Amino acid sequence: MKRYYLLLIAIAFGISTSAQDVIQSAKKVQKNYVSSEYDRNAMTLIGLDFSESHSGEVLNHFFEMSVPEKYYDNSVSPKILKIPDGRESFGNKMKVLSNEKVIQLLNDNKVGQKILSVWFNQQPDGSFNVESLKKRGLFNANDDDLIIAEASKRGQSALMDMGLPLVNKSYVAVFDFPEISTMAEYYIANEIPVKNRPLNGYKAVVHEYLYKLDFNEAVAAEFFQKYWVSANDPDKAAKVEAFQNATFPFIAVNNVMRNVQGTQFNAGQPLAPKVQKTKDELLSMLTEISMEKVFTVVENQNADFRVKAMVNQVRPIGAKIGTKEGLKFDQRYFVYENVSKRNGNIVSKRRAVVKSMKVVNNSTVTSGETESSLFYQIAGGKVDNYGMFLEQKNDAGVNLCLNYAAKGFEGPSARLEYYISRQLYDVVAKGKNASALTSVKMYAEAGFNEKTYFTGTDSEDDYSFTGFSAGLAKDFYAFNFAFSELFVGYGIESATRTNSEHKLSTDFIEYGVRIGVNLTPGIQLMGSVGSKSILTSKELDEDGAEFNTEFDYFGEFIDRKGQTLSFGLRFMF
């Protein structure tokens, strides 16, 4: 039996010359270009409780949440570490914690040991085995890995060896909520008048500190030589004690600070829910938003957290990733190709920008016949499946459009667009090819301009116009370089005349089409043709009462009738 475990350790050390020769030869990492390599990270979530106002309530709800599916779950106990000495012992006046002291806290609480105990499936008697390692290696593998492994002498057993390098992709996310208050407390502290207090719930600042367990070759060698315990190891007690007394290194990766809210409108407010959420529901909302905001930033800032996959088909574009990698509907990816220059250097060329339109459920061990998730192209050139690959590039799902209408309801305007396609997909089309739901947005637009008109007495009057509209729009990408958009919405416009307290107003239904051309993947030149159907026209006196029941808005401002032509720029975030 002892020989078996010595052989196991030898295999572990031999991964660099066996499994890496077979698998990792296809996954080389270079610093000078975008790597196509992607392996599943492992995540441990830990909260710090300084016994401040509401901190216990928030952290208890926070750690009811599970580790996101795209990570291996390295949960440890306890998840919440109470700090009796107060915040001042860990940071400064800005409430930013010292990385050195947080790492010391992780070591004092044996977090490194607990993570390795998960990876190496430590038993109650202190012994280790590689069952978890093999399972995770198999689960991490994709179809390409399987094809390469089955071509080797060792076959699928090579995939199991892929588990050991994953240990060095273990991360710890430490969450701290340095500021938490109810909305009532916030309003009182900031002396906001009662009439301007529309919300109830919680607002907070969340600060996340990300660390990596540094299980490098030297640390791994020391672990196997000094701390590895087999079931019948004669030195079991001494090794178990040595393992518990060891200090494992952590590397500070980055930290993220964000403002978050779990709020709702008070009963009686126009946007209030029919049934008010409970305190627990609002706390859950706060913690869910905290998790989402933090990990979005982490993925944007750290290459190891961005999903990558080879393009395996075109028309439509496909890649073998899905729910296992946390892929979401209408999520943005860049398409890259790594090419060699004459001097031998490899450079990355961005070839296209795509978004997902079908997300497959691949949360199983690969069989070699995994279905592809599908993508549609929104920018760039031709995409092929001869070496091009996708890399996750999260967007905020928000566009800002700056326009000028040259005809109709003329004048400058700004439009804010928010993509709601993911929410629609989750409700009506989960798991299907939902191209009809891609790039669906809500929009809100506001504009202002001044113009001089002649009245019936041939005298000039200066008018100031303000307008607002909101509605739905959907983009269609028939070409790589251009798109069209259909929109429909409801709007209002009002006009005031110089030296008059009367207001002229109208409301309308607007509809039309916008055409855009990509200048860059994030900036588009747009033009639109629209029409407005007037619903009502009103002239209001200084008290807001209707003054003229026969007022005709288009009769007063005839040049604002008919089609609206506009042009502008759209910035995508």
Side-chain angles (χ1 to χ4, degrees):
M1 183 64 70
K2 184 175 180 180
R3 288 184 179 180
Y4 167 77
Y5 283 107
L6 291 175
L7 178 63
L8 179 63
I9 294 172
I11 290 174
F13 279 115
I15 286 178
S16 60
T17 57
S18 60
Q20 284 185 358
D21 287 343
V22 177
I23 304 298
Q24 301 301 322
S25 61
K27 292 186 168 186
K28 295 180 181 179
V29 178
Q30 300 288 341
K31 294 182 179 179
N32 297 328
Y33 65 92
V34 179
S35 170
S36 61
E37 176 185 359
Y38 174 74
D39 286 313
R40 190 178 177 86
N41 295 327
M43 184 61 63
T44 302
L45 303 180
I46 288 179
L48 303 183
D49 186 359
F50 291 93
S51 299
E52 296 166 326
S53 178
H54 307 294
S55 62
E57 297 172 289
V58 170
L59 287 169
N60 285 336
H61 279 80
F62 188 87
F63 287 99
E64 289 175 357
M65 299 177 63
S66 58
V67 171
E69 186 179 1
K70 69 180 293 185
Y71 307 111
Y72 291 117
D73 186 352
N74 277 352
S75 293
V76 302
S77 181
K79 291 183 177 180
I80 301 174
L81 303 180
K82 293 190 177 292
I83 314 300
D85 297 331
R87 183 173 297 278
E88 292 73 17
S89 64
F90 269 77
N92 55 38
K93 294 181 180 180
M94 298 300 293
K95 298 188 176 181
V96 177
L97 306 181
S98 160
N99 281 320
E100 292 76 14
K101 292 190 176 181
V102 176
I103 290 174
Q104 183 61 52
L105 182 68
L106 298 180
N107 287 324
D108 290 345
N109 285 271
K110 310 298 181 184
V111 173
Q113 284 91 331
K114 293 172 183 178
I115 290 173
L116 293 175
S117 295
V118 175
W119 277 110
F120 296 104
N121 200 30
Q122 189 172 32
Q123 301 300 299
D125 66 354
S127 63
F128 298 106
N129 61 57
V130 293
E131 292 306 310
S132 295
L133 209 64
K134 291 191 294 185
K135 289 178 181 178
R136 289 185 171 188
L138 284 170
F139 191 75
N140 179 73
N142 56 35
D143 285 5
D144 293 335
D145 295 327
L146 181 62
I147 291 170
I148 296 171
E150 289 186 336
S152 71
K153 292 182 180 179
R154 298 185 62 221
Q156 291 191 29
S157 61
L159 296 180
M160 299 180 186
D161 293 344
M162 291 178 65
L164 188 59
L166 297 178
V167 180
N168 200 30
K169 297 177 73 66
S170 300
Y171 292 85
V172 180
V174 178
F175 283 83
D176 176 34
F177 290 84
E179 296 178 19
I180 310 171
S181 66
T182 65
M183 291 307 300
E185 292 168 343
Y186 170 77
Y187 290 141
I188 293 171
N190 289 275
E191 300 181 348
I192 296 174
V194 174
K195 64 179 182 179
N196 296 328
R197 301 180 181 183
L199 301 173
N200 67 81
Y202 294 83
K203 66 183 285 120
V205 172
V206 58
H207 202 151
E208 180 261 6
Y209 303 82
L210 185 67
Y211 303 97
K212 179 178 178 288
L213 176 64
D214 189 14
F215 198 71
N216 57 48
E217 290 183 5
V219 174
E222 184 176 28
F223 172 79
F224 287 116
Q225 290 171 354
K226 295 183 179 180
Y227 310 130
W228 181 270
V229 179
S230 60
N232 298 317
D233 197 322
D235 298 327
K236 181 186 298 184
K239 288 184 176 180
V240 169
E241 182 179 0
F243 175 65
Q244 288 303 316
N245 292 331
T247 298
F248 291 95
F250 288 92
I251 300 171
V253 179
N254 70 345
N255 60 74
V256 179
M257 182 178 288
R258 286 293 181 270
N259 295 312
V260 292
Q261 288 188 189
T263 58
Q264 63 187 338
F265 283 94
N266 293 321
Q269 293 285 336
L271 298 178
K274 292 182 179 180
V275 178
Q276 290 278 296
K277 288 183 173 64
T278 65
K279 173 183 175 180
D280 284 344
E281 289 173 331
L282 291 168
L283 287 169
S284 294
M285 181 193 302
L286 178 77
T287 55
E288 183 176 346
I289 292 172
S290 300
M291 180 87 78
E292 182 178 343
K293 280 193 172 185
V294 161
F295 279 110
T296 296
V297 177
V298 166
E299 290 168 352
N300 290 342
Q301 294 180 350
N302 299 277
D304 275 355
F305 284 78
R306 293 196 290 270
V307 177
K308 300 163 190 172
M310 302 303 296
V311 175
N312 75 307
Q313 68 174 67
V314 294
R315 298 194 187 96
I317 297 167
K320 293 196 174 185
I321 53 177
T323 54
K324 183 163 71 173
E325 292 79 20
L327 180 64
K328 299 177 182 178
F329 180 74
D330 232 9
Q331 188 175 23
R332 186 179 67 174
Y333 276 69
F334 284 1
V335 180
Y336 288 101
E337 183 178 25
N338 290 331
V339 297
S340 297
K341 301 178 70 175
R342 289 184 179 180
N343 60 8
N345 292 337
I346 298 176
V347 296
S348 295
K349 299 289 187 179
R350 185 176 62 194
R351 300 302 191 190
V353 181
V354 299
K355 283 189 172 184
S356 54
M357 64 181 180
K358 178 183 179 181
V359 180
V360 300
N361 185 347
N362 65 339
S363 298
T364 58
V365 173
T366 181
S367 64
E369 299 178 355
T370 306
E371 188 180 359
S372 297
S373 291
L374 303 180
F375 299 78
Y376 66 101
Q377 188 169 349
I378 64 172
K382 182 180 179 181
V383 176
D384 64 49
N385 56 340
Y386 303 109
M388 292 189 185
F389 63 95
L390 310 179
E391 183 184 44
Q392 176 186 353
K393 291 288 184 178
N394 292 329
D395 56 8
V398 175
N399 302 331
L400 174 63
C401 310
L402 302 178
N403 310 296
Y404 185 86
K407 181 182 177 183
F409 282 61
E410 64 184 62
S413 66
R415 184 173 66 255
L416 194 64
E417 302 175 340
Y418 176 72
Y419 290 91
I420 59 171
S421 30
R422 291 181 188 175
Q423 291 86 340
L424 293 175
Y425 180 81
D426 289 339
V427 172
V428 301
K430 195 169 185 179
K432 298 179 182 178
N433 185 345
S435 57
L437 297 179
T438 56
S439 294
V440 177
K441 303 164 292 182
M442 296 189 302
Y443 71 85
E445 186 166 7
F448 172 84
N449 80 315
E450 296 180 340
K451 191 170 182 179
T452 300
Y453 283 87
F454 286 97
T455 64
T457 59
D458 292 332
S459 63
E460 292 184 349
D461 284 318
D462 295 326
Y463 287 86
S464 296
F465 295 89
T466 58
F468 174 83
S469 63
L472 296 174
K474 174 175 166 51
D475 291 345
F476 297 88
Y477 289 87
F479 305 99
N480 298 345
F481 60 89
F483 69 96
S484 60
E485 175 185 284
L486 298 179
F487 66 92
V488 60
Y490 169 82
I492 56 176
E493 184 178 272
S494 62
T496 56
R497 187 172 60 239
T498 304
N499 301 322
S500 174
E501 296 185 0
H502 285 203
K503 178 184 289 187
L504 311 176
S505 71
T506 182
D507 62 340
F508 52 83
I509 299 296
E510 66 176 5
Y511 50 89
V513 60
R514 300 182 181 111
I515 305 295
V517 177
N518 293 317
L519 301 179
T520 73
I523 302 177
Q524 297 162 330
L525 178 65
M526 298 185 66
S528 69
V529 179
S531 294
K532 292 180 169 65
S533 298
I534 296 294
L535 299 176
T536 63
S537 296
K538 297 179 181 179
E539 182 176 1
L540 308 177
D541 62 19
E542 59 272 16
D543 297 322
E546 189 167 351
F547 175 76
N548 182 1
T549 58
E550 297 181 358
F551 171 69
D552 180 4
Y553 196 86
F554 277 163
E556 187 77 10
F557 310 113
I558 192 169
D559 62 322
R560 303 181 84 81
K561 184 177 182 179
Q563 289 185 332
T564 298
L565 302 178
S566 67
F567 57 90
L569 292 173
R570 179 163 81 171
F571 302 89
M572 308 175 73
F573 300 98

